[in-house]
Amino acid sequence: MRIIESKKITEVLRDMCIKANVNLPQDVASCIECKREEEDWTPAKEILDRIIENYNLAAQKEMPICQDTGMACLFITMGQDVHVEGNLEEAINEGIRQGYEEGYLRKSVVEDPLERVNTRDNTPAVIYYDIVPGEDFVMELAPKGFGSENMSRIAMLRPSDGLEGVKKFILETVELAGPNPCPPIIVGVGIGGTFDKAAVMAKKALLRPLDQENPKEFYRDLEKELLDEINNLGIGPQGFGGRTTALGVNIETYPTHIAGLPVAVNISCHVTRHIKEVL
């Protein structure tokens, strides 16, 4: 049995909150820079130049890349032979609290969705657990801004809608979003499971680095096909036209019921923040 003290989780999460909001992941930055070289529409080139300048300045000055420092979404992979000494969720939320206060990050969470009173410390986090064999304890943090989150959608398609129905829904979602999610975007897709499982998969799909291909050939090809079709929509960076509407399409799947075909699309802006730490 491996024992992890809850205060260690707090300390690591505090630093993760600050790092994730200040430093754009290298896979995202590299993809933006590649798309800048491929772009042939002058306004799109100029906007991508500003985006690159912005995330470089954020890293140099240790300031947030975006004013919307997001709601903390945390994916925990925990070995069944790990014991956390202390209250795990209290430790997590204390880490978020300290990170957002010490990092001078915007606090965007309201305690009740209708009464709208700010919690003043960006807690609570949204937490997902995956229990696995062994003694691993891995935390993946994704501060999720809501300009893009609000453009996400889910559909309970009929099995007869098939592959074409899935592709149509994904493309329709991106087209309806237009410039609102601050493109170039990353498109997370969850297919299968249940209503709620599809949505979680779509969000988790955004954690996969853009330079890491889908391990399944069928979905690898589908991701490339959808990315090409999305970029042919002509929305472009910040909605001003061009070839760079999306940086990537990441798909996650799960077995589902014979009567259903759930599909969720979780859109993320060009500031797709994710950071991973292994304790």
Side-chain angles (χ1 to χ4, degrees), residues 226-245:
L226 286 166
L227 181 59
D228 286 342
E229 291 192 38
I230 288 169
N231 283 328
N232 285 333
L233 292 174
I235 296 168
Q238 300 299 298
F240 287 97
R243 299 172 57 189
T244 316
T245 297

Side-chain angles (χ1 to χ4, degrees), residues 104-119:
Y104 300 99
L105 307 174
R106 196 183 85 184
K107 302 164 185 73
S108 305
V109 176
V110 294
E111 187 170 1
D112 182 275
L114 296 180
E115 294 180 346
R116 314 299 293 181
V117 178
N118 199 295
T119 63

Side-chain angles (χ1 to χ4, degrees), residues 79-94:
Q80 60 191 20
D81 296 325
V82 172
H83 172 69
V84 175
E85 205 166 66
N87 188 303
L88 175 56
E89 295 211 356
E90 284 184 7
I92 288 169
N93 284 314
E94 182 58 28

Side-chain angles (χ1 to χ4, degrees), residues 144 148-155 157 165-175 177 185-191 195 198-203 205-206 226 230 248-251 262-268:
K144 190 66 167 67
S148 58
E149 187 78 354
N150 287 337
M151 297 296 104
S152 303
R153 297 168 75 215
I154 190 165
L157 300 181
V166 170
K167 291 195 289 187
K168 180 181 177 182
F169 177 71
I170 294 167
L171 291 169
E172 179 185 79
T173 298
V174 173
E175 195 161 17
I185 58 176
I186 297 174
V187 183
V189 179
I191 306 172
F195 180 88
V200 175
M201 287 192 295
K203 185 168 295 299
L206 295 171
L226 286 166
I230 288 169
V249 177
N250 289 354
I251 298 173
V263 185
V265 178
N266 195 206
I267 292 180
S268 186

Side-chain angles (χ1 to χ4, degrees), residues 32-50:
I32 292 172
E33 288 159 18
C34 286
K35 293 294 184 183
R36 163 61 180 81
E37 295 307 311
E38 296 171 3
E39 186 59 67
D40 52 15
W41 175 241
T42 300
K45 283 183 178 181
E46 292 174 354
I47 290 165
L48 291 171
D49 283 340
R50 298 293 77 76

